[in-house]
Amino acid sequence: MRITITDWIHKVLENYISLGDLCIDATMGKGNDTLFLCQQTGRTGEVSAFDIQEAALKFTKEKLEKHGMTAELILDGHEHMGNYFQSETVQCIMFNLGYLPGGDHHLATKAETSIQAFEEGFSLLKPGGIMSICIYSGGDSGFEERDQVLEYLKTLDDKKYFVVRQDFPNKANHPPMPIFILKL
Ligand SMILES: C[S@@+](CC[C@H](N)C(=O)[O-])C[C@H]1O[C@@H](n2cnc3c(N)ncnc32)[C@H](O)[C@@H]1O
């Protein structure tokens, strides 16, 4: 049996997403999470995905077409997601921080805009909704975004948000760190 950290994140989120839900992939990349959200929400659901790179929209469109799925693909920064949805209508928002695999590493997510996007996302989430953040660090990603995001998470009111951070003690080389935030 083989399980990746992405599989693990999907397994957790499956418990919180139902057919017909509205979900957001805040970092579309190659569309793996967009496809996952489409599969969970079904034909009656709605999925929107953001990225700042045309290449990500192209990869994702092709991936969805291959699986007979559709989503709204938005070429815009996730820090503007509040412009696109009504507050408290979204069940799940996924962030997969870092750079587009095989793409320009300079076009990676940045702590400042990521944190702005989390704030926007919290207003959009329904009570009982969930946000996942997968943080990459080390290598070209460095540690700045991870450290700033972790500091930011400490400031969230524990009466409003249940914040979970996970790690993988037997994995080498700074494995990605999943965070789950439930809006209470
Ligand atoms: C690690 S990749 C995402 C991987 C993706 N979830 C997948 O399944 O392939 C991170 C993505 O975030 C995008 N990104 C960087 N800054 C962004 C921003 N401000 N808003 C939205 N996307 C951004 C990058 O272009 C990159 O495609």
Side-chain angles (χ1 to χ4, degrees):
M1 179 192 169
R2 186 175 169 269
I3 180 161
T4 65
I5 292 174
T6 305
D7 295 333
W8 175 250
I9 292 172
H10 290 177
K11 282 202 175 301
V12 173
L13 295 180
E14 277 171 21
N15 296 299
Y16 291 91
I17 305 173
S18 307
L19 294 175
D21 280 343
L22 167 59
C23 296
I24 298 175
D25 181 358
T27 48
M28 188 187 318
K30 293 197 165 169
N32 298 306
D33 294 328
T34 310
L35 175 62
F36 162 75
L37 291 172
C38 289
Q39 288 165 336
Q40 298 306 303
T41 55
R43 301 252 167 249
T44 53
E46 247 180 274
V47 176
S48 295
F50 290 84
D51 208 291
I52 52 169
Q53 299 192 61
E54 287 274 12
L57 274 75
K58 189 169 175 287
F59 281 128
T60 303
K61 187 167 178 284
E62 283 168 8
K63 180 158 287 166
L64 294 180
E65 278 171 4
K66 222 184 256 172
H67 289 83
M69 301 279 176
T70 53
E72 181 188 28
L73 306 184
I74 303 173
L75 182 66
D76 197 357
H78 43 216
E79 61 276 17
H80 304 132
M81 67 169 81
N83 297 338
Y84 294 83
F85 309 94
Q86 304 282 332
S87 63
E88 305 210 325
T89 56
V90 180
Q91 180 59 24
C92 173
I93 306 178
M94 295 186 72
F95 286 85
N96 201 330
L97 303 181
Y99 51 78
L100 182 64
D104 181 349
H105 292 196
H106 294 104
L107 295 172
T109 54
K110 309 266 180 312
E112 193 186 334
T113 39
S114 298
I115 291 169
Q116 277 173 28
F118 304 154
E119 300 259 315
E120 296 266 314
F122 291 141
S123 327
L124 300 181
L125 276 184
K126 292 177 177 178
I130 190 165
M131 180 182 291
S132 66
I133 307 170
C134 185
I135 308 179
Y136 288 81
S137 62
D140 281 359
S141 299
F143 297 96
E144 201 182 320
E145 186 175 36
R146 181 197 70 178
D147 292 347
Q148 289 188 43
V149 168
L150 292 178
E151 279 308 305
Y152 165 76
L153 293 174
K154 288 185 194 166
T155 68
L156 294 175
D157 182 345
D158 72 347
K159 292 183 191 63
K160 295 187 180 159
Y161 301 102
F162 184 77
V163 183
V164 182
R165 161 185 156 175
Q166 299 182 319
D167 65 9
F168 304 91
N170 65 344
K171 281 199 183 291
N173 301 327
H174 311 292
M177 179 189 285
I179 307 281
F180 298 97
I181 305 168
L182 276 171
K183 182 167 172 175
L184 303 175

